[in-house]
Amino acid sequence: ERRKLLDRTIVIVTSDHGIEFDENRLGFKGHGTAYSQEQMRTPLVVRWPGRPPQHVARRTSHNDIAPTLLTELFGCENPPSDYASGSSLFSGAEWSWLVVASYREFAVVEPERVTVVLPAGFEVRGPDYRLLPTQVPPRDVEEIRDRVEREERNPQGQVDLRQLDRGAREPGELRRRGAEGGRRCVGR
């Protein structure tokens, strides 16, 4: 304040991860042990001269910091997609999904589910980070359900989606199995 730097200095305060104290009673503590909200939500405080204070409730990412600086501060005019996976924090863009990583695996985080890709498989968890009863990759579930809605199926030949993921080892295998024999796929 004495040197009057605050009026011409951008201040960004954040963290690389949150900390969990087993709030969900699932046994996850610390960081790097799960992709729960407690471990993924981080503070992000930005003081930008000339911009009024505001609270942003939408999902943002650390990937948005570089595009914010490059477009808003340095005046880059080409789209952020040319050099980053994020967008300016001031653009209002919200992430419908995020790819996040830990030491051994990564996950695709969406509002309705978290798909954790492990070295030997995957698991699908709900917004509360509990395992979902149907462990089918989200893309395959949606594709199967779309196909069922488009075509009339024999109601006697139903396939339980919980059975589709057993033994699948390659992309598209679930979709092929779901299409075999004109069966109709149903969830729980």
Side-chain angles (χ1 to χ4, degrees):
E1 288 181 13
R2 181 175 47 88
R3 294 177 54 197
K4 308 269 190 249
L5 293 176
L6 203 52
D7 292 338
R8 55 190 177 104
T9 303
I10 295 169
V11 178
I12 299 174
V13 178
T14 190
S15 172
D16 63 337
H17 58 76
I19 296 289
E20 185 167 6
F21 298 97
D22 197 20
E23 290 92 336
N24 296 316
R25 304 284 185 247
L26 297 173
F28 297 110
K29 296 178 183 175
H31 72 90
T33 60
Y35 297 99
S36 62
Q37 285 297 316
E38 291 77 15
Q39 291 189 41
M40 293 196 2
R41 186 165 282 173
T42 61
L44 176 59
V45 178
V46 178
R47 186 191 184 285
W48 199 283
R51 292 196 176 263
Q54 61 178 316
H55 174 80
V56 176
R58 72 180 183 279
R59 185 190 310 232
T60 60
S61 167
H62 289 95
N63 295 332
D64 296 329
I65 295 173
T68 302
L69 293 171
L70 289 169
T71 58
E72 306 292 331
L73 179 63
F74 298 115
C76 289
E77 294 180 1
N78 56 319
S81 60
D82 286 354
Y83 55 83
S85 59
S87 58
S88 171
L89 289 165
F90 303 121
S91 72
E94 183 170 6
W95 290 77
S96 58
W97 56 272
L98 293 170
V99 174
V100 294
S102 186
Y103 305 111
R104 294 173 303 280
E105 70 277 331
F106 68 95
V108 177
V109 179
E110 301 169 273
E112 67 279 358
R113 69 183 149 250
V114 177
T115 305
V116 182
V117 181
L118 304 160
F122 67 91
E123 59 189 28
V124 183
R125 294 178 171 270
D128 61 357
Y129 210 66
R130 285 177 166 57
L131 284 170
L132 293 179
T134 302
Q135 290 291 300
V136 177
R139 180 191 69 226
D140 292 326
V141 170
E142 291 164 10
E143 202 169 302
I144 291 167
R145 286 187 180 143
D146 287 347
R147 187 179 317 123
V148 168
E149 288 173 8
R150 286 192 310 267
E151 301 173 17
E152 288 295 318
R153 298 288 190 188
N154 174 357
Q156 310 307 330
Q158 296 182 349
V159 175
D160 187 339
L161 288 177
R162 291 169 292 171
Q163 303 299 317
L164 287 177
D165 65 332
R166 293 189 180 145
R169 294 292 177 253
E170 64 181 80
E173 185 175 339
L174 298 176
R175 290 187 296 279
R176 285 193 300 279
R177 265 197 263 156
E180 292 171 3
R183 297 178 291 184
R184 181 168 177 249
C185 301
V186 295
R188 218 189 259 215

